Amino acid sequence: MSIVDKNNVDDYVDDEICSCMNLDRPKSFFLFAGAGSGKTKSLVTSLNRFQEKNFNRMKLSGQRIAIITFTNVASEEIERRLDYNPLFIVSTIHSFIWELIKDHQLDIKKWLHDNLKIQIEELQEKQRKGSKGTKTANDRISNIEYKTKRIQKLNSITKFSYSPNGENKGVDSLNHSEVINIGVYFLTQKPLLQKILIRKFPFLLIDESQDTNTKLMDAFFKVQSDYSSEFALGLFGDTMQRIYLDGKADLGMNLPTDWAKPIKKMNHRSPNRIIKLINKIRSVVDDQEQLPRTDAREGCVRLFIFPNEIDKKTAENKVVKQMFEITKDLSWGENSDYISLILEHHMAASRIGFENIFSALNPVDKLKTGLWEGSLPELKFFTQIILPIAIARDNNDQFIITSIVKKYSPLLIKKTMRSSTNQLKQLKLANAAMKKLLSLWDDRKEPTGNDILQCVAQSKLFDIPGSLTPLIIPETIQKCNETNESVSNSEKGAGDPELDAWRLCLSSNFSQFKAYESYISEQTNFRTHQGVKGLEFPNVMVIIDDHDSRGKTFNYEKLFGAKERTVDEIKNEKEGRDSSISRTRRLFYVTCSRAEKSLAIVAYTAEPEKVKKHVLQEGWFGEDEIEIL
């Protein structure tokens, strides 16, 4: 077999998918596509071939092909590679379901009413059986009150709203979970919605299908089964890359006999050594084994084992230096062009330097999601307005500072300037306010978030986010503070958990806000294990640290042999049932398979020798690839 033929052994897959996408005889399929196999390439190739043959026919019928992806980034990438062809609707799962159900407002209202009643009854039953006076009981009371009020407000709502990328806090807003559950109910119980779906979309293609909500996948399976001559599903995925708990665990198993089941065998991304490693990691799960390209480099894998007590920033810097010595790749050297994969966001917070912001806001459920999405308006005030000003100050760039003031300051907006009888006075006010703000950094001082908030509030240079206004200290109280006079808690606005969180957050030095922004905007080397699925990087450092992660979903210490597994855990893995160990194995597979050139795994553990012995027994690494430091 020639080199070209061998590297292209999976080309038949594109042909098979194209044959399934036949408008006269639609056929559903599940494409197994492991890490680096070119799944997106097959998706795009098949769709381009389809539109060449069927564009006019689809246009006349008013139909389109729907492609569901897991993230906005993936959606944008597929749209770009399809040249934004109007024949294809590419969206995330939540966006797709909302577009499907949003015109059925009365049905949505009825579902919400019935669902809230069921939830209230379940909570009341637990309240009757549970202990009174506990935090859990009090939380249930609050939950019952909230849901009861929501039912009472339903009649006044004429139209529900939903934003896939927003916080959905309004009275008329649906949350992410509700949109999915309503979609599941409508698709399984309402024939009209089923018919709307198949009339619009003869084919529904689902990327990363193993992580798509199980109930929703089952609903799609039902529609396909009921309308198999008019509607087909195309699933792209790999069960070994399922990392979310609500994904379909048995996807690809027990499929109807008339489904096509093509398999991609090649890994076009990773070098030989990394493919050998990930094949070994998944070998206890299934018999899927990837092949490297004939022109693949050998690649480099190293495991560095450290005790838990070591200074971790120092340890990881040492690993970077050692990887440079081993590979002679400047990405591990002066270019610092490698990615560090961490288990939890707070591990980045401690390494990059915004731990106070994290520890303040992360415990508050209402703030947690926005914190890691970078969508909290209160933090955006500091990262999108104040931070650019501080950077421009350092660069002595008065033009940028003036531009920001003109754009955001209520002192200079067009409405204010038009209504002002003395525009020069307004300019002077804005100039004085900006000088006062910039003076906070004089003499190499570093202000806190609260210093900035109080300064901006008093000068009215910028509008303060509404939720922070209770924290603005009136000048009279501020003077009392400065003279150490007592100020009551009520005057300070204490007692509200959310306000307390913001108060603690604002005690952070401004450098923490700068570090937070660099992480959220992916300007640092750090990403989470879960956040890189579908991505690839030349050089990867996987940081394994159960002690620091504080989570219970994954357990690397048991996977790596540092802790004993229970009898039930051993039994579950043998019988293919999900457990913290099987979840950890899948996550380990995903992280290791991101690397295109070299891979460094940094394991912190209480039992370094046990870890070394276990990974050698597993055959993951050779003796010369492991260092205990």
Side-chain angles (χ1 to χ4, degrees), residues 555-563 565 573 581 584-585 588 614 618 620:
N555 197 319
Y556 273 103
E557 287 280 71
K558 289 188 175 181
L559 182 68
F560 277 51
K563 290 183 180 178
R565 305 180 190 191
E573 184 152 33
I581 296 170
T584 308
R585 184 185 296 275
F588 188 45
H614 182 78
E618 291 287 327
W620 293 346

Side-chain angles (χ1 to χ4, degrees), residues 490-521:
S490 61
E491 286 174 309
K492 290 180 179 178
D496 182 297
E498 191 174 334
L499 280 180
D500 288 343
W502 281 116
R503 183 177 291 103
L504 181 57
C505 172
L506 294 180
S507 70
S508 308
N509 286 336
F510 185 68
S511 59
Q512 293 215 20
F513 293 90
K514 185 175 182 180
Y516 167 77
E517 168 61 14
S518 67
Y519 176 63
I520 288 299
S521 59

Side-chain angles (χ1 to χ4, degrees), residues 530-544:
Q530 298 91 330
V532 295
K533 191 176 69 158
L535 303 178
E536 55 192 39
F537 310 95
N539 303 291
V540 173
M541 180 195 295
V542 179
I543 299 173
I544 291 168

Side-chain angles (χ1 to χ4, degrees), residues 103-154:
D103 293 331
H104 303 265
Q105 294 286 327
L106 290 177
D107 291 324
I108 290 173
K109 183 180 288 191
K110 185 178 186 310
W111 183 93
L112 271 177
H113 181 274
D114 295 346
N115 188 257
L116 285 166
K117 277 192 70 174
I118 291 169
Q119 290 180 46
I120 290 169
E121 288 167 3
E122 289 174 350
L123 287 167
Q124 288 172 335
E125 181 63 23
K126 288 179 181 177
Q127 198 72 342
R128 280 192 288 272
K129 293 179 178 179
S131 302
K132 293 187 172 78
T134 64
K135 183 180 183 301
T136 302
N138 291 335
D139 286 345
R140 277 198 292 263
I141 291 170
S142 298
N143 213 349
I144 290 169
E145 289 176 357
Y146 168 74
K147 293 179 188 298
T148 302
K149 286 179 181 176
R150 197 170 175 206
I151 284 180
Q152 293 168 352
K153 291 175 181 176
L154 283 179

Side-chain angles (χ1 to χ4, degrees), residues 428-466:
K428 286 181 177 180
L429 281 172
N431 188 47
M434 179 52 68
K435 281 185 177 179
K436 189 175 180 182
L437 175 62
L438 295 177
S439 71
L440 295 177
W441 282 269
D442 283 353
D443 303 321
R444 297 187 178 181
K445 289 185 295 187
E446 184 182 2
T448 65
N450 189 55
D451 293 333
I452 293 167
L453 180 73
Q454 305 306 328
C455 177
V456 170
Q458 287 165 26
S459 69
K460 298 181 173 57
L461 178 60
F462 299 115
D463 290 326
I464 302 298

